[in-house]
Amino acid sequence: MKQLIMIKYGELTTKKANRNVFVNLLTKNIKYMLRNFEVRIHKDRVRMYIEVLDGKFDEVVEELKKVFGLHGIVIVNQVQTNNDSIKEVVLKLVNESNYHTFKIETKRADKTFPIPSMEFNRLIGGHVLKNTNLKVDVHDPDVMIHIEIRQEGTFVYTSEIRGAGGYPVGIQGKGLLMLSGGIDSPVAGYLALKRGVDLECLYFESLPHTSIEARNKVIELAKIINRYSGNIKVHVASFTKIQEAIYKTADDTYIITIMRRMMYRIAEKLAKKRNCKIIINGESIGQVASQTLDSMAVINQVTNMPVIRPVACMDKLEIIDLSKKIDAYETSILPFEDCCTIFLPKHPVIHPTLDKCIEMESRFDYEPLIEECVDTILTISNFEEQKEYLDLL
Ligand code: ATP
Ligand code: MG
């Protein structure tokens, strides 16, 4: 008997035309995720099988749970197609836990096997009844035994472990994540990755007002979400000159609004340069003054690029739960100042108007500063083993 991991693609199977692209990308992502294990991957049109050669079965399953686009993980027992081997493994499985009822479901993909499925259910079921105290329950069994008879052998398995769902990372191309050191933006990045959007990150810093520790914290957060990608880069933009100019010229209450309009302008330029189709950020409706609907509207006005806010409709506690789940929380709450929190005005405007923004922005020549900011961006790409450097396929 040999144990294998069977992967079910789930949602992908509905996308017939793109099937090969999906499956190939998923395979590449799985290979990346399992790069530290010795595995062999076999795939066909509907399934993928992973053979674990180094015995680290449980660890491999844990890694697979992080792969987006993968809907079910099933531990299957492959045996030779003969009644005795099948009976033996079925008995082992029904005895694995304290089950009271069972059901056998046979699928005879190999029609050269002489016993029809229904009859085989009864044959194997009879063997279980004879050798255990379990009873049959066809409607709601404690354990369901699946027997798939195929040309390459018979696959016997019980339950399915739920995969991470979503789509393979990268299937939608790339988005630019505005990544700060807070709780919300890493979660926003994680959710975008889950829908198949690969990421590049943009971090604004204001040295010397913000520290190198703050930058390192953002890189740490990028590494955490990179566990789901392998491609992530961090672009560090120096925001000092723009921020100082805003402080000098804008009304106190509008400082954050104008700052965020500048950030969006820079993000759009970088996104276009880096072939990112959307901007993603961690804004959540009503969380702070700059995230009221009025604020979002005047801030968003500077760009035509779609801005996706995956956590927009989540409560802070829900975002925190997800942040903990992806192991980002402890890093996010480290106490380093962000450029949005230094010199925070006492009463930021809650209902800003576009006219006022435009008037205040006309008080300084921001275009050259934006150009300079984009041109001097520092890109950190090899902060971790990167997928593109591996020979994957
Ligand atoms: P977070 O917890 O992600 O820091 P927040 O609740 O503190 O978010 P803001 O500071 O208003 O909210 O920022 C809203 C979003 O704008 C952030 O989630 C992030 O996407 C982006 N952002 C804020 N500051 C920066 C920064 N210094 N660099 C890059 N993006 C930023
Ligand atoms: Mg923040």
Side-chain angles (χ1 to χ4, degrees), residues 116-129:
S117 299
M118 295 297 276
E119 199 180 322
F120 201 65
N121 287 343
R122 281 195 294 273
L123 178 82
I124 301 296
H127 184 71
V128 174
L129 290 172

Side-chain angles (χ1 to χ4, degrees), residues 54-307:
D54 55 12
K56 295 183 178 157
F57 217 83
D58 295 342
E59 288 102 312
V60 167
V61 170
E62 278 313 302
E63 288 303 306
L64 288 171
K65 285 187 195 165
K66 288 193 258 167
V67 181
F68 294 128
L70 191 161
H71 289 245
I73 304 164
V74 189
I75 297 174
V76 299
N77 302 276
Q78 185 179 6
V79 293
Q80 283 181 348
T81 303
N82 64 59
N83 294 358
D84 287 345
S85 308
I86 297 171
K87 282 177 181 169
E88 187 187 329
V89 68
V90 170
L91 266 194
K92 181 181 144 290
L93 290 176
V94 294
N95 282 322
E96 239 164 31
S97 205
N98 190 23
Y99 302 124
H100 298 291
T101 56
F102 74 101
K103 179 181 176 184
I104 309 275
E105 195 159 279
T106 304
K107 214 191 263 170
R108 193 174 52 128
D110 176 10
K111 297 293 181 209
T112 63
F113 185 71
I115 310 174
S117 299
M118 295 297 276
E119 199 180 322
F120 201 65
N121 287 343
R122 281 195 294 273
L123 178 82
I124 301 296
H127 184 71
V128 174
L129 290 172
K130 219 182 290 164
N131 290 281
T132 68
N133 293 324
L134 275 82
K135 299 207 168 13
V136 175
D137 182 343
V138 289
H139 301 295
D140 187 24
D142 294 346
V143 60
M144 175 87 129
I145 305 280
H146 300 267
I147 303 174
E148 284 184 23
I149 301 170
R150 297 171 170 271
Q151 262 160 4
E152 61 271 32
T154 293
F155 297 87
V156 185
Y157 59 91
T158 57
S159 55
E160 180 174 325
I161 301 162
R162 203 156 143 191
Y167 292 112
V169 171
I171 200 78
Q172 292 287 346
K174 274 186 307 183
L176 183 66
L177 171 69
M178 296 169 65
L179 182 63
S180 64
I183 295 167
D184 307 322
S185 46
V187 172
Y190 164 83
L191 290 171
L193 288 165
K194 181 170 182 188
R195 294 311 290 173
V197 182
D198 211 346
L199 301 175
E200 298 208 3
C201 303
L202 170 59
Y203 166 60
F204 294 96
E205 67 178 4
S206 282
L207 296 174
H209 312 299
T210 60
S211 61
I212 285 294
E213 283 83 0
R215 181 201 290 183
N216 289 339
K217 171 181 165 181
V218 170
I219 294 171
E220 278 312 306
L221 289 169
K223 282 185 192 174
I224 290 170
I225 52 175
N226 194 43
R227 291 176 194 156
Y228 302 88
S229 161
N231 268 327
I232 292 180
K233 295 177 171 53
V234 180
H235 303 281
V236 181
S238 170
F239 203 54
T240 316
K241 283 187 188 166
I242 295 174
Q243 200 165 3
E244 287 174 351
I246 296 170
Y247 281 112
K248 257 190 228 137
T249 57
D251 294 1
D252 235 30
T253 52
Y254 268 71
I255 282 175
I256 296 284
T257 318
I258 308 279
M259 250 174 63
R260 298 197 60 77
R261 280 166 59 90
M262 297 296 166
M263 283 183 174
Y264 271 47
R265 289 181 170 112
I266 294 162
E268 184 195 80
K269 281 190 193 298
L270 180 68
K272 286 187 175 152
K273 236 174 147 171
R274 299 294 314 168
N275 202 18
C276 295
K277 298 172 190 171
I278 56 171
I279 295 169
I280 299 153
N281 67 35
E283 290 173 346
S284 173
I285 298 170
Q287 202 185 83
V288 289
S290 61
Q291 294 167 19
T292 61
L293 294 185
D294 285 330
S295 289
M296 281 188 186
V298 298
I299 291 166
N300 209 147
Q301 201 274 338
V302 300
T303 178
N304 287 324
M305 196 172 252
V307 179

Side-chain angles (χ1 to χ4, degrees), residues 366-382:
Y366 61 82
E367 285 292 348
L369 294 179
I370 284 185
E371 290 301 326
E372 184 185 335
C373 178
V374 174
D375 289 344
T376 56
I377 276 173
L378 169 76
T379 299
I380 304 170
S381 59
N382 54 349

Side-chain angles (χ1 to χ4, degrees), residues 5 30-41 50-64 66 385:
I5 298 168
I30 287 176
K31 283 185 179 171
Y32 174 74
M33 210 60 109
L34 301 183
R35 65 196 178 283
N36 297 324
F37 298 93
E38 234 184 289
V39 294
R40 196 177 293 145
I41 297 180
I50 300 175
E51 234 182 295
V52 182
L53 305 173
D54 55 12
K56 295 183 178 157
F57 217 83
D58 295 342
E59 288 102 312
V60 167
V61 170
E62 278 313 302
E63 288 303 306
L64 288 171
K66 288 193 258 167
E385 199 175 4

